[in-house]
Amino acid sequence: MSPMIYTLYGFAIFFFVFWCGIWFLHILAISYGKIKLHRKVSLLPRETPLPSVSILKPLMGVDPNLAQNLETFFTLNYPVYELLFCIEDKNDPAIAIVNSLMEKYPLVDAHLFLGGSVVGVNPKINNMQPGYEAAKYEYIMISDSGIRMKDDTLLDMVQHMTEKVGLVHQMPFTCDRDGFAATFEKIFFGTVQSRIYLTADLAGINCHTGMSCLMRKNVLIEMGGIQIFGCYLAEDFFMAKAFTDYGWKMTISSQPAMQNCGTCNITSFQARLTRWAKLRQAMVPSMILLEPLSECMVVGGFASWAVNMLFHWDSLVFYLVHILLWFLSDWILLSVVQNGSLPFNKFDFVVGWVFREFSGPYLFLHALWNPAIRWRARVYKLAWGGVAYEIAPKIKS
């Protein structure tokens, strides 16, 4: 055979093995999800008291669900914790909501910090810095504004903070909400995102998102505080990396992070996905090749060509069976993550799943083509390695 034929066979073997590896990840995610997620927690008597927790809540603006989301933090079933609300703009309407909740729950240890501190380009770190400096307890929790808590969520997270663990984070998911955009979000977080998150946690790979995480304060102090991560936009990734570099393990808790933003539309969510893709491309350049290859439609196409080359199987039949099996495995994984009946019917799932699978590669290519990151009213550029710098001033409304 000619060298070209050998080369084609080499590519065919690679794509077939890669395809098999992707299916191994599907099986791992479903199996690990059933074992790891939604385990019951109880506040049993302990030899030592539960550690106290300082909860940082960076806020900016108001959405329709903000008040009810924040209220779930005032009703946590946990012995000792404090709430540290951080708001950069002193005219932010979220201030009124926080003040009303503090008046409604006067026995909860809660404080409001206004103005922020400029310690880097990351607006979230700048916003949280005053609250972090005032935190008085041994564990620090960072929780985004759109997170809704169950009364035992904090207990669940703390119970995962074992002797060798320095960081506990929640796997992103969403509350049940109405509309196609909410369905699309739940499908994304319950399928492709959960598959990556669960397999990464099982393998000990850094896949941390900072929307809801619990950390040891003494380790943060040893690192230099949260301000040392102010030069990054993806501060969550580099926080997790720093913990592992210091010899600590990290793990996900059994309860997913329940995002419950009251403003939900396809355009803003796709912009969010594009921003995440840009961050991944800058921080982990190998994802430029691996991520698009792991998409259902892309890897299925390459695998269909490969099996025709290697085994003379019908490419079209193989491709259709591949899509059907992927669809079914995603339905199973989403059901595992949901831990109950889904808030939409099978037709809605089909439409949302197809839209996600076809839009995923496009959003990734769009992120690759235009690497500048727009975050609220600011625009940033990332250097290789993840260090960010602002390329446009804040736009005043």
Side-chain angles (χ1 to χ4, degrees), residues 4 21 51 70 74 89 103 132 161 164 193 198 204 214 227 259 262 299 329 378 381:
M4 178 61 71
L70 295 184
F74 284 86
D89 187 350
E103 292 176 4
Y132 168 76
M161 189 72 82
K164 296 183 179 180
Q193 180 77 3
L198 288 167
L214 184 72
Q227 61 266 29
Q259 301 173 85
V299 71
S329 68
R378 296 179 170 98
K381 193 95 179 249

Side-chain angles (χ1 to χ4, degrees), residues 280-298:
R280 291 194 299 272
Q281 290 165 9
M283 296 183 302
V284 189
S286 60
M287 296 302 295
I288 295 175
L289 290 177
L290 293 178
E291 186 166 336
L293 278 180
S294 65
E295 292 282 355
C296 173
M297 303 303 174
V298 177

Side-chain angles (χ1 to χ4, degrees), residues 30-166:
I30 293 172
S31 302
Y32 187 58
K34 290 183 72 68
I35 296 171
K36 180 74 174 180
L37 300 178
H38 304 293
R39 292 185 296 180
K40 292 182 179 180
V41 296
S42 58
L43 193 57
L44 297 175
R46 296 163 53 98
E47 294 181 1
T48 58
L50 286 165
S52 305
V53 182
S54 297
I55 303 177
L56 293 173
K57 291 292 295 184
L59 305 177
M60 179 181 288
V62 173
D63 71 62
N65 291 343
L66 180 64
Q68 58 179 283
N69 291 338
L70 295 184
E71 188 166 11
T72 63
F73 287 82
F74 284 86
T75 58
L76 292 172
N77 181 18
Y78 195 81
V80 181
Y81 68 96
E82 64 175 345
L83 295 173
L84 308 173
F85 296 98
C86 306
I87 301 177
E88 183 179 20
D89 187 350
K90 297 180 180 180
N91 296 313
D92 196 306
I95 296 173
I97 293 177
V98 172
N99 283 330
S100 66
L101 288 170
M102 290 169 61
E103 292 176 4
K104 184 177 180 180
Y105 298 94
L107 299 182
V108 176
D109 187 6
H111 307 274
L112 176 61
F113 299 87
L114 301 177
S117 298
V118 178
V119 295
V121 297
N122 187 305
K124 181 177 177 181
I125 294 290
N126 291 340
N127 194 6
M128 291 190 297
Q129 183 61 28
Y132 168 76
E133 291 176 348
K136 60 189 178 185
Y137 292 136
E138 56 202 289
Y139 287 175
I140 296 285
M141 180 180 181
I142 296 176
S143 177
D144 286 355
S145 61
I147 299 297
R148 182 182 180 88
M149 300 282 271
K150 296 180 179 179
D151 59 0
D152 61 349
T153 301
L154 181 56
L155 176 62
D156 175 60
M157 297 179 74
V158 169
Q159 289 185 344
H160 282 80
M161 189 72 82
T162 55
E163 183 179 347
K164 296 183 179 180
V165 173

Side-chain angles (χ1 to χ4, degrees), residues 33-34 37-38 150 171-177 182-183 185-187 189-191 194 198 254-259 330-344 349:
K34 290 183 72 68
L37 300 178
H38 304 293
K150 296 180 179 179
M171 185 180 75
F173 197 46
T174 64
C175 292
D176 295 345
R177 294 169 294 171
T183 298
E185 286 192 20
K186 186 174 284 286
I187 289 172
F189 284 110
T191 58
S194 294
L198 288 167
S254 66
Q255 293 186 20
M258 303 306 292
Q259 301 173 85
D330 274 354
W331 174 268
I332 294 171
L333 179 58
L334 177 58
S335 299
V336 168
V337 178
Q338 176 76 7
N339 194 37
S341 58
L342 297 173
F344 44 79
F349 177 75

Side-chain angles (χ1 to χ4, degrees), residues 303-324:
S304 300
W305 168 80
V307 298
N308 180 264
M309 184 81 179
L310 297 172
F311 312 118
H312 306 292
W313 295 351
D314 186 287
S315 294
L316 179 59
V317 173
F318 183 90
Y319 190 59
L320 294 176
V321 172
H322 158 84
I323 293 175
L324 176 61

